């Protein structure tokens, strides 16, 4: 940290770490590299050279995380930036949202996943397929017994799901390309290799159930406003032939799926959300990597296609109806009819209104020995009809997806401004290498929390915590000061006119005010002072103090929302209002900060109502917030002296007196004695009629 006494006005030059050489992005090479790394890691674990973590998890030599099956808990990683999160779990569950806009809803325990992939093969001389999921979920009972190995590898660039049967080796690679903040491309690449020397009759199927609404729960009416259809070159998308294909880089470009969802803003306004799934398929020699010729049957899907023994053709089907995809109302994904038949009973190129629309496809072929088929699905979120039309005119290919992945992998190796490492090994099972491999994942977690746009979990209370986000910014600003600065501006624009900070807030949705939690918890404003102070100390960027932002006010018609006011002033003025609000919320007897509704930062939620029935909030006190306000007094004084010398003299005097008042109160009231020992209280109830964290709390127990 740069001492505040020595910084000058202006920015301190940030150090940029040299970019590491980009790894090979070809999916064949990735799969072979992963298998070697996993084998080496497990040899090290058996030999006692452990990189193992709790939960059947271990670091690979390159810092990625190997996840094996576990009975309790899960590992997950958020891909994306600027508040967009595509969560990929080691269990195979996935979800995605940007604030209240959920592309894919998370699945609860026992629910069907919104995204999954299947594969199956037909033994010679039989009519039924033996199938399994290419992800750990859902579990296909009969096929799972044939899985010889299954694991997940999570990296900063992508997550890989690997599964092996005696006949097939498969990998699903998932990564996110976020070319613009609200225009994400989620890439799914599936590779299935024939491990035998003879042709193998196989199928591969993908399933996506997008939500694409500004809500976090599904209702029976959602299907009325979601439409999914297969696009192909014609002016009438509803009747376009679903089997149109185009040669592209030696592979096939399959017709894309178009997803539209309509949402009503009010009686007079409606909006449409767009999504797109573009597809491509190709075939390779698994030894040389050479691409093999491939084409589709011109008449589309043929049930006797595989009987031709034609290894250069692939039969395709599409299905936009979930009910048709699984086969009947009695079936689920893990018991769908196509798992054994290898085909959909009928093709449904468009679904709207009558039932839930999904993205489903199926490809069937005779895969030659020592060869592999690869399919790519790119799910994108165009933010206008014009962008959607542009992307419809840009078919994808495996080569293009690999080129994009090469850029993403290179970008994830740019480490940012914060570089941490430890050396040596004390008497602990956690060695330095393991700890150093963990740090980049910690940085990503901090970034996700610092830049969130709310609704990290699908619930009404999952807003943006004012204190929470500032605490995360406090760490993120060391690594990425520019986005941290932008988030500070956003947070402080939600301060109320009187200087009180909301407990939680959310961003507007389609022009309507966001939700807010306005319960009077006291532990919010002190973090605004400390976080801005630390930002100035680290960056020297005093221009932040001159930035002008607005305020918010409670919405009279809705106690759970706020709306912006016309009043605007500088960030420095915001800090002064926050300090003045906190200084008026001190107990007249002890001089310390009143807990008001509570102090969630110290888990003092509701210390007890006032003894006086006429008063809602009594004289209960939070020692932690008092301590932090004591620190904030020194920080705001330093800010004013450094960046506004000669100004705000009355404020300097007031904050100096407040600091002395807090020091005296903390010394006199916050420390209690018992039999020669001392402890610092967490707080106390109205009129100090009970203590929290004392030698004798209200239940008679001693707590430290």
């Amino acid at each position: 940290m740069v001492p505040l006494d020595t910084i000058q006005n202006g920015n301190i030059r940030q150090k940029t770490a040299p970019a590491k050489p980009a790894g090979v992005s070809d999916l064949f090479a990735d799969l072979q590299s992963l298998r070697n790394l996993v084998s080496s890691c497990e040899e090290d674990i058996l030999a006692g050279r452990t990189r193992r973590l709790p939960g059947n998890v271990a670091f690979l030599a390159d810092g990625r995380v190997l996840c094996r099956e576990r009975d309790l808990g899960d590992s997950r990683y958020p891909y994306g930036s600027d508040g967009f999160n595509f969560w990929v779990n080691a269990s195979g569950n996935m979800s995605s949202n940007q604030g209240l806009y959920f592309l894919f809803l998370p699945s609860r325990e026992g629910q069907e996943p919104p995204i999954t992939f299947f594969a199956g093969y037909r033994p010679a001389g039989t009519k039924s397929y033996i199938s399994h999921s290419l992800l750990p979920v859902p579990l296909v009972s009969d096929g799972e017994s044939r899985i010889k190995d299954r694991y997940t590898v999570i990296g900063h660039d992508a997550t890989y799901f690997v599964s092996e049967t005696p006949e097939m080796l498969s990998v699903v690679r998932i990564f996110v390309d976020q070319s613009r903040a609200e225009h994400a491309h989620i890439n799914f690449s599936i590779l299935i290799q024939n491990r035998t020397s003879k042709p193998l009759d196989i199928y591969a199927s993908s399933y996506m159930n997008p939500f694409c609404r500004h809500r976090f729960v599904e209702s029976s009416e959602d299907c009325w406003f979601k439409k999914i259809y297969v696009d192909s070159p014609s002016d009438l998308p509803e009747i376009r032939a679903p089997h149109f294909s185009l040669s592209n880089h030696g592979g096939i470009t399959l017709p894309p799926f178009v997803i539209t969802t309509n949402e009503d803003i009010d009686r007079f306004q409606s909006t449409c959300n767009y999504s797109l799934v573009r597809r491509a398929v190709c075939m390779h020699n698994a030894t040389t990597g050479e691409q093999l010729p491939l084409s589709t049957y011109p008449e589309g899907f043929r049930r006797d296609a595989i009987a031709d023994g034609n290894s250069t053709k692939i039969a395709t089907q599409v299905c936009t109806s979930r009910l048709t995809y699984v086969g009947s109302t009695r079936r689920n994904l893990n018991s769908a009819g196509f798992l054994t038949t290898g085909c959909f009973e009928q093709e449904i190129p468009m679904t709207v209104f009558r039932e839930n629309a999904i993205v489903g496809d199926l490809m069937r072929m005779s895969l030659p020995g020592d060869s592999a088929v690869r399919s790519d699905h790119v799910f994108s979120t165009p933010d206008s009809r014009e962008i959607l039309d542009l992307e419809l005119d840009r078919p994808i290919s495996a080569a293009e997806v690999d080129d994009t992945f090469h850029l993403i992998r290179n970008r994830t190796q740019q480490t940012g401004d914060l570089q941490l490492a430890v050396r040596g090994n004390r008497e602990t099972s956690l060695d330095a290498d393991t700890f150093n491999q963990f740090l980049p994942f910690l940085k990503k977690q901090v970034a996700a929390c610092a830049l969130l746009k709310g609704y990290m979990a699908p619930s009404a209370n999952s807003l943006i915590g004012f204190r929470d986000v500032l605490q995360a910014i406090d760490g993120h600003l060391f690594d990425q000061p520019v986005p941290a600065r932008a988030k500070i501006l956003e947070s402080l624009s939600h301060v109320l006119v009187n200087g009180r900070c909301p407990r939680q807030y959310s961003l507007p949705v389609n022009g309507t005010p966001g939700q807010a939690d306005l319960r009077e918890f006291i532990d919010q404003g002190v973090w605004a002072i400390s976080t801005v102070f630390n930002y100035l100390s680290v960056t020297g960027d005093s221009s932040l103090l001159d930035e002008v932002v607005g305020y918010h006010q409670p919405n009279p018609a809705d106690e759970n929302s706020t709306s912006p006011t016309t009043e605007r002033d500088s960030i420095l003025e915001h800090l002064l209002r926050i300090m003045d609000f906190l200084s008026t919320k001190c107990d007249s007897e002890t001089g310390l900060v009143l807990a008001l509704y509570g102090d969630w930062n110290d888990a003092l939620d509701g210390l007890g109502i006032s003894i006086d029935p006429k008063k809602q909030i009594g004289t209960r006190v939070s020692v932690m917030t008092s301590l932090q306000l004591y620190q904030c007094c020194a920080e705001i004084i330093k800010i004013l002296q450094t960046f506004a010398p000669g100004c705000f003299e009355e404020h300097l005097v007031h904050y100096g007196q407040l600091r002395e008042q807090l020091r005296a109160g903390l010394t006199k009231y916050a420390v209690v004695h018992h039999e020669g020992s001392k402890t610092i209280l967490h707080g106390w109830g109205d009129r100090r009629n009970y203590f929290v964290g004392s030698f004798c709390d209200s239940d008679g127990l001693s707590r430290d």
Side-chain angles (χ1 to χ4, degrees), residues 54 124 146 180 212 218 264 268 270 357 460 573 591 699:
R146 296 186 59 79
R180 289 191 291 154
C212 301
E218 196 170 12
D264 291 335
F268 308 102
S270 182
E573 290 288 349
D699 58 0

Side-chain angles (χ1 to χ4, degrees), residues 44-61:
D44 287 347
I45 290 174
L46 289 174
R49 301 184 297 272
T50 179
R51 290 190 293 270
R52 193 166 185 172
L53 301 173
N56 212 14
V57 171
F59 279 116
L60 300 179

Side-chain angles (χ1 to χ4, degrees), residues 581-637:
F581 172 81
L582 291 170
S583 68
T584 64
K585 301 303 177 183
C586 291
D587 175 29
S588 58
E589 179 183 348
T590 63
L592 301 183
V593 181
L594 298 170
L596 300 183
Y597 193 96
D599 178 358
W600 191 243
N601 196 49
D602 201 23
L604 301 179
D605 185 5
L607 278 178
I609 61 175
S610 172
I611 296 175
D612 186 348
K614 298 179 181 180
K615 294 181 180 180
Q616 184 177 7
I617 296 174
T619 58
R620 47 193 175 166
V621 160
S622 167
V623 170
M624 176 173 282
T625 300
S626 300
L627 285 164
Q628 194 165 356
L629 183 58
Y630 175 79
Q631 173 184 301
C632 288
C633 288
E635 292 170 338
I636 194 68
I637 289 171

Side-chain angles (χ1 to χ4, degrees), residues 99-351:
L100 188 56
Y101 185 59
F102 277 82
L103 286 174
F104 295 95
L105 287 173
S107 54
R108 296 184 177 89
E109 183 179 345
Q111 287 183 324
E112 288 185 346
I115 303 170
T116 194
F117 305 93
F118 298 96
Y121 92 100
R122 185 177 65 174
T126 67
K127 295 183 179 181
S128 295
Y129 284 77
I130 300 176
S131 306
H132 65 277
S133 173
L134 299 182
L135 306 179
V137 293
L139 180 67
V140 181
S141 300
D142 293 341
E144 192 68 20
S145 63
R146 296 186 59 79
I147 298 291
K148 301 302 180 185
D149 200 10
R150 184 191 285 284
Y151 52 85
T152 304
V153 173
I154 298 176
H156 299 291
D157 50 3
T159 290
Y160 297 81
F161 295 93
V162 179
S163 59
E164 298 184 37
T165 71
E167 299 80 19
M168 292 185 287
L169 168 64
S170 67
V171 61
V172 179
R173 180 185 68 190
I174 302 169
F175 72 92
V176 172
D177 171 27
Q178 203 169 342
S179 54
R180 289 191 291 154
E182 298 184 4
H183 187 189
H185 292 73
I186 307 169
N187 295 258
F188 305 89
S189 298
I190 301 96
L191 182 73
I192 301 174
Q193 178 182 336
N194 180 358
R195 307 182 74 183
T196 73
S197 59
K198 298 179 180 179
L200 200 63
D201 290 350
I202 72 160
Y203 80 82
S205 179
S206 65
Y207 171 91
M208 300 181 192
N209 183 7
F211 188 59
C212 301
R213 301 183 68 81
H214 289 86
R215 290 226 320 265
F216 47 79
V217 291
E218 196 170 12
S219 78
S220 59
E221 297 180 0
D222 294 330
C223 63
W224 301 350
F225 306 101
K226 180 166 67 168
K227 174 182 176 181
I228 299 182
Y229 63 89
V230 179
D231 186 80
S232 58
S234 166
D235 293 331
L236 299 173
E238 287 83 359
I239 61 171
R240 292 179 178 183
H243 303 297
F244 170 79
S245 62
L246 174 69
S247 177
N248 190 343
H249 298 283
I252 299 170
T253 299
L254 297 171
F257 290 81
V258 178
I259 303 118
T260 63
T261 55
N262 288 88
E263 294 186 284
D264 291 335
I265 300 173
D266 53 38
R267 287 185 63 191
F268 308 102
Q269 300 180 82
S270 182
T271 187
C272 185
N273 307 315
Y274 299 100
S275 298
L276 179 67
V277 179
R278 290 175 290 168
R279 305 180 295 150
V281 61
C282 56
M283 188 165 63
H284 293 264
N285 181 292
T287 302
T288 66
E290 177 186 2
Q291 196 161 7
L292 303 175
L294 187 63
S295 62
T296 60
Y297 287 90
E299 64 272 35
F301 189 83
R302 289 175 48 194
R303 292 180 184 273
D304 62 342
I306 306 306
D308 294 347
N310 193 331
S311 62
T312 65
K313 292 187 181 295
I314 184 168
T316 67
Q317 281 185 296
V318 295
C319 182
T320 58
S321 160
R322 183 201 167 276
L323 183 60
T324 304
Y325 187 88
V326 299
S328 78
T329 56
R330 298 176 61 191
R331 293 182 179 273
N332 293 312
L333 284 177
N334 59 350
S335 61
F338 74 85
L339 294 175
T340 55
T341 64
C343 66
F344 301 138
E345 284 301 310
Q346 59 177 316
E347 292 197 276
I348 309 290
M350 184 179 71
T351 297

Side-chain angles (χ1 to χ4, degrees), residues 310-466:
N310 193 331
S311 62
T312 65
K313 292 187 181 295
I314 184 168
T316 67
Q317 281 185 296
V318 295
C319 182
T320 58
S321 160
R322 183 201 167 276
L323 183 60
T324 304
Y325 187 88
V326 299
S328 78
T329 56
R330 298 176 61 191
R331 293 182 179 273
N332 293 312
L333 284 177
N334 59 350
S335 61
F338 74 85
L339 294 175
T340 55
T341 64
C343 66
F344 301 138
E345 284 301 310
Q346 59 177 316
E347 292 197 276
I348 309 290
M350 184 179 71
T351 297
V352 63
F353 190 78
R354 60 192 174 90
E355 58 182 271
N356 187 33
I358 57 100
V359 173
D361 65 12
L362 187 146
M363 296 174 288
R364 201 169 80 183
M365 67 181 302
S366 178
L367 188 61
D370 197 32
S371 65
V373 62
R374 169 177 170 172
S375 64
D376 289 273
H377 296 67
V378 178
F379 185 103
S380 60
T381 57
D383 47 13
S384 68
R385 179 73 212 197
E386 292 73 22
I387 300 299
L388 173 67
D389 291 338
L390 287 174
E391 292 196 356
L392 282 170
D393 292 334
R394 290 186 60 248
I396 65 165
S397 68
E400 178 188 349
V401 171
D402 281 347
D403 287 344
T404 302
F405 179 63
H406 177 87
L407 296 174
I408 297 299
R409 172 168 283 182
N410 190 41
R411 194 178 304 156
T412 60
Q413 295 171 350
Q414 299 171 6
T415 57
D417 294 336
L418 178 63
Q419 298 179 55
L420 297 172
V422 298
R423 292 183 299 175
N425 189 12
R426 302 186 70 180
E427 293 182 3
T428 173
S429 59
L430 182 63
D431 60 273
D433 288 341
T434 301
F435 191 83
N436 290 335
Q437 287 172 324
F438 167 74
L439 288 174
F441 289 93
L442 177 61
K443 286 172 57 178
K444 177 62 177 179
Q445 179 180 351
V446 170
C449 294
L451 305 181
L452 68 89
K453 294 190 175 181
Y455 299 94
M456 185 74 78
S459 68
N461 295 324
S462 187
L463 308 178
I464 302 172
F466 190 89

